Structure formats: structure tokens, C-alpha cells
Amino acid sequence: MAGPNLRERSRHGFVSRQILAEGAVIAAARAAPAAVSPLAVGGAQGETFFDFMFGELRGQGLTATDADLLALANAMVEPDLAPGDPAQAGLDNPDIPAGFTYLGQFVDHDITLDLTPLSEAMADPEMTRNFRTPGLDLDCVYGAGPGPHRFLFARGPNADGQVVDTPKLLLGAAEVSIENPDRPGQQVPQLPNDLQRNAQGVALIGDHRNDENLIVAQIHLAFLKFHNAVVDHLKGTVPDDRLFAEAARTVRWHYQWMVLHDWVERLTEPGIVARILHEGRKFYRFKTKPFMPWEFSGAVYRLGHSMVRPRYNHNRIFRTPEPHLAEGTFNFFFRFTNLSGGLDSGTPGQGTFPSNWVIDWRRYFDLPAPDAIKAEFNHSRRLDPLLAGALHRLPGAESGSAKASLAFRNLRRGVQIGLPSGQAVAALIRRKIAFDPISPAEIATGPDGAVAKSLGFDAKTPLWYYILKEAELRGAGRRLGPVGGRIVAEVFIGLVQGDEGSYLSDPAWTPHLPADVPGTFFMADLLKFVAAWESPADPDKSLNPVGD
């Protein structure tokens, strides 16, 4: 968890500097605490615990048999189309680039870590510990800071030539690898594009889960580089003994702003952050410190599983069109990691991260790219109840078994921890917000809906399935519906408001690092900022190290 040396604690005000209607929002937000009840609906245990967001429904969890849940899970499979099939476009979400699927996973690892055995969580969900601080503070990157976790930081010479700890994070290298078949005799050189690893290939990072798949590992690396770029950006403007703390604060505040405006508003709707800050949170309440809601972590925020593609145009080497070495399949992304795959040695050529798998960011986020690259751009899959086939055949489980299905695991966990039905949650939200809930007849639409109806899940629907079906029906598969969108927005806003060291603690603050639109900061801006720092003469070399 983040130590106190990572934060500057100051007065806390619920203030937003938004893109839209700034003046009115700020004036209203300053009065927001008075509109928020000091009593928490959930979160009796406070920070570091999971609890129920809708406490009125505690003890009213949906009941279902494993057989029924497996039957529904088996219906939640997207069509298995060939890579060149024109119908592929109908499965894509043109509003959310595929990189956000894994940025969302990175954010999840920043705010939640449940190490409690499921049997204990089932016995008393309110006493389940969250071993990650429930805040957007990047403790997954910084750990406890330069002192306790100095293994995360680089060493270098000081002004006297002595080798000392520096405020920069440690980076690794991707080893020399084979080239594309169309370039015989050539190799991809060693590239500064991997996490630092120990002799067994284990990534030296603040959260081991960020070496779970290749793309989230590359995103984690981008944040390490982002911090180092900010250190250089600030050097000379603050005292050396304050350089790490100031750089970490700058990184965290831009990240917090980005999560609310580039991630939450893509999932929900433009302007929702400003509106909730203006009106106050209506459902996610806590006394002083945020807790992690079961409804969010156990159901709603598992929306990312619907966004996963079965294959990706990863770079010029691992892509679907010819020539290529292989397709960038989802299973490959697990193979080239240590936590889930085969990176198990620090000896070059024996399990280190190969340079030909370094990401081409232009294929994952909305960055400038040649037309040929734009044609291979990866969109996320639509937000709907259908998951890629690979997620129904998880590695490490017997093929065809219930445990091999991520959909079944999600549905079953929701029942085990006592999550209420989607209809019960929607009814509570409708007491304070007007919207058109999805009906049993709408839930029953489509092949998956027909199965849901046959099992009685059209009237009492597992919350995770309800959120995805609502996104399909009310968000056209491009964004969440009113129930899912409200929960996601309120939780993330609450996490930032509940952190007295967040950017909301400074009413005058706006993002100030270079960005396409001054006063904003999006993921594409972060990647371009890193690229300009890493390769000033040729930023494209950083965005696409493997080359065109």
C-alpha cells in the first residue's frame, strides 16, 4: 500500500475542474459536502474492506444452482467468426479502443486486491479485506515508495560520482528476437520495453498481477516511463529531495483526472462526472474513507470481460494480415508473462520477454498513424453479454469444465457473495433517478436471453449479466446503461473524493502536462508525452518500437 511519503495531505474539498460548465460546477461542488449524508449505507468497516453499496439489499442475494448458472454462461459466447469475415465489425465497439480493455484492468489492480479465501468471504462478506488501497493512488506502481520498496527504483551517480538511489523507477529490456518471415536474416534488437525482472523472470513491480498478460504489463511499463518522464520534466524546478514526491503527485493527479474523464466517461456518458460532482453522490456513501463495494468489484466492473477480443493486430509481426509471424491471439498474451505464462528465466533466450512482442500503441489507442496501421486498429468488443470463446476455455482448467468458463466463474461468485439481482438494484436506483429499466421481455431477447428466460433469470437476473444486457439494450453495446453507468461513475468519483490527497483537494488545479487540448489529459496524451521524452527526435519510435 502507498505510504505517507507518497502524499501531501491537505484540506479536502469536493471540487472539480471539468471540461464542461466549469464555473457552475465548481461553485456547486464547493457546497457538495452539505448535500452528502455523513452516514454510510455500507462500509461500516471503512477503508481496506469490501462491503455492500446497497446496504438495504444485504441478505437478499440472488439464489441459483450451479447447473443453471453454467447453462446461462454457455449461452454467453460471441459468434466464432473468421478473421476476415465482414461480420467482425458488428462485434466491435467503435467508441472504445481496445487498449482501454487493459487500462481498465490496470485500474482495477490499483484499487482492489482480494486475498481472502472465497469460503471466508461467503461466511462474512463484510469482513473481507481489500489488500489494495481503494483509491487511484498508483500504489500498484509505487509500492510503499523509495525507502521500503527501493528495489523498484533505479540507482545512478550523484553530483559527486557516488552511486545512489534515484527518484526514477527501474525499467527492464526486451531481449533480441526473430524477425518477420519477410525479412530473413534480420532480428528485432534489444529494446528498453520490458519490466525489470529477477533471475527467475519475476517482474519487480508493485503488483504481481500486472504481469498477468502482455498488454497490461506494457501499460504498467508505460506508467513507469511516465513517472520517469515527469521526474525529468520537473528537475530543476523543485529541490532534489522533493523531486520524487512532486513527480509522484503530478503523475497521480493526471492519472486520476484521466480515469474520470477518459475512462469513466467513455464507459458512461460525457458530462456525468461534472453532474455527479454538482449534485453529489446518491448511492456510494461512506463516513470518512471509501470502501470497495461488492456490487462494483463482484459484478459491474467485470464489464471488461465483455470487451476482450479473441485476437489483436499487436504489431507488424503479430497480426492477422500477411505477412506475419503469427496472429496476436488472446492466449499468446498470457504466454509471454511470468505470472501466467512462460517467462521464467533471466538468461537471454531462455524465457525473457522477446522484443518482437513489444506493443505498437498506435494499434490500441487513438494516436496518429499511417492509413495502413489505421486499417489494423483494434477496437474493443461491444459491451454486451457475449464473451470471446477463449474466455470460455481458460488455461489451467479441464477443457469443457465449468471452471474453464470465466462467465460461469463470474456468475457463481456473484451468487456466493450474496449479490442482489439486477432488478433489485435498479429499483433502488429508480427511487432517486428517473430512467427506463430493462424489462423481462427485453432481457429475454437474443439466444442468450432465451436461455436466461428458460431459467427464470429474465425476472430475477444475476447482476453481472443484467449490467451487460442493459449496456446492449440501452447503450447500443457502446456504453453502459443507467444502472451500470451510475454505479461505475459514483464509485470512481467517490474514490477520488475520498482521498484527501487527490487532485480534488486543490480547487485551482487542472492538468498542465502537454496535451492535445490544454487543460485536459487523456491516455493518448500520456503515451505521446512518454514518446517525446523517450525519443525526442522521433516519437514514433517510442510509440512503435518494433517499426513498420
Side-chain angles (χ1 to χ4, degrees), residues 164-398:
V164 297
D165 293 349
T166 75
K168 289 188 175 181
L169 292 159
L170 199 59
L171 308 176
E175 294 297 333
V176 176
S177 59
I178 60 174
E179 250 287 5
N180 232 15
D182 65 324
R183 303 187 186 188
Q186 296 187 35
Q187 291 181 316
V188 180
Q190 184 183 73
L191 296 170
N193 290 87
D194 191 17
L195 304 168
Q196 182 66 36
R197 300 179 183 278
N198 68 11
Q200 285 73 46
V202 177
L204 302 180
I205 53 179
D207 191 316
H208 66 291
R209 297 172 297 169
N210 283 352
D211 194 28
E212 180 180 81
N213 69 64
L214 187 152
I215 305 181
V216 78
Q218 294 282 280
I219 287 176
H220 189 106
L221 178 67
F223 274 87
L224 301 182
K225 292 182 176 182
F226 180 41
H227 169 85
N228 290 353
V230 171
V231 168
D232 285 344
H233 181 75
L234 295 177
K235 192 170 181 61
T237 66
V238 296
D240 285 350
D241 62 351
R242 290 286 306 155
L243 190 52
F244 169 76
E246 191 61 29
R249 183 178 69 88
T250 300
V251 167
R252 286 199 314 273
W253 285 15
H254 282 77
Y255 163 68
Q256 290 163 359
W257 195 97
M258 180 186 73
V259 168
L260 293 187
H261 294 280
D262 200 19
W263 176 223
V264 170
E265 294 205 343
R266 281 182 189 264
L267 287 175
T268 56
E269 58 181 285
I272 193 172
V273 173
R275 188 166 70 251
I276 291 176
L277 283 167
H278 185 147
E279 299 171 351
R281 287 173 280 111
K282 299 179 185 298
F283 307 103
Y284 179 45
R285 305 286 187 82
F286 46 85
K287 293 178 181 179
T288 56
K289 294 292 184 181
F291 63 98
M292 183 49 56
W294 279 120
E295 297 90 339
F296 175 85
S297 65
V300 180
Y301 200 56
R302 299 189 177 218
L303 57 89
H305 298 156
S306 173
M307 299 168 64
V308 171
R309 301 178 60 84
R311 57 182 61 84
Y312 295 80
N313 290 312
H314 186 67
N315 57 29
R316 68 172 172 81
I317 297 175
F318 295 96
R319 53 200 272 267
T320 298
E322 295 286 354
H324 70 296
L325 189 60
E327 289 187 333
T329 62
F330 182 70
N331 286 337
F332 268 134
F333 293 154
F334 285 90
R335 179 174 174 182
F336 290 99
T337 65
N338 176 268
L339 183 62
S340 307
L343 301 189
D344 56 8
S345 171
T347 304
Q350 296 183 20
T352 54
F353 184 71
S355 58
N356 56 12
W357 271 105
V358 171
I359 196 168
D360 179 354
W361 291 113
R362 305 168 305 167
R363 287 171 157 89
Y364 286 92
F365 289 98
D366 39 10
L367 293 159
D371 289 343
I373 303 303
K374 291 178 182 177
E376 297 178 14
F377 188 77
N378 300 293
H379 294 285
S380 67
R381 287 305 209 207
R382 287 182 176 268
L383 289 162
D384 60 27
L386 306 183
L387 274 62
L391 297 183
H392 292 265
R393 301 183 298 272
L394 295 178
E398 183 181 349

Side-chain angles (χ1 to χ4, degrees), residues 450-481:
V451 173
K453 180 179 180 179
S454 72
L455 301 168
F457 290 144
D458 57 328
K460 291 185 177 181
T461 310
L463 182 57
W464 178 59
Y465 180 83
Y466 182 97
I467 296 302
L468 295 178
K469 197 71 174 181
E470 182 191 56
E472 176 188 37
L473 297 168
R474 294 290 185 268
R478 296 187 173 200
R479 60 182 65 247
L480 293 171

Side-chain angles (χ1 to χ4, degrees), residues 366-518:
D366 39 10
L367 293 159
D371 289 343
I373 303 303
K374 291 178 182 177
E376 297 178 14
F377 188 77
N378 300 293
H379 294 285
S380 67
R381 287 305 209 207
R382 287 182 176 268
L383 289 162
D384 60 27
L386 306 183
L387 274 62
L391 297 183
H392 292 265
R393 301 183 298 272
L394 295 178
E398 183 181 349
S399 178
S401 70
K403 291 183 179 179
S405 168
L406 182 59
F408 172 75
R409 291 186 186 185
N410 286 346
L411 292 167
R412 187 170 188 256
R413 184 169 180 83
V415 169
Q416 288 176 319
I417 61 179
L419 292 182
S421 69
Q423 287 82 359
V425 172
L428 275 185
I429 293 179
R430 283 193 76 205
R431 293 180 185 177
K432 297 181 179 180
I433 297 175
F435 67 91
D436 181 22
I438 53 177
S439 66
E442 289 177 300
I443 292 174
T445 56
D448 58 291
V451 173
K453 180 179 180 179
S454 72
L455 301 168
F457 290 144
D458 57 328
K460 291 185 177 181
T461 310
L463 182 57
W464 178 59
Y465 180 83
Y466 182 97
I467 296 302
L468 295 178
K469 197 71 174 181
E470 182 191 56
E472 176 188 37
L473 297 168
R474 294 290 185 268
R478 296 187 173 200
R479 60 182 65 247
L480 293 171
V483 173
R486 189 74 190 196
I487 292 173
V488 164
E490 287 213 5
V491 169
F492 275 113
I493 291 169
L495 294 180
V496 178
Q497 286 184 319
D499 176 2
E500 63 186 19
S502 76
Y503 83 88
L504 292 176
S505 66
D506 183 352
W509 188 86
T510 56
H512 53 76
L513 293 176
D516 284 348
V517 179

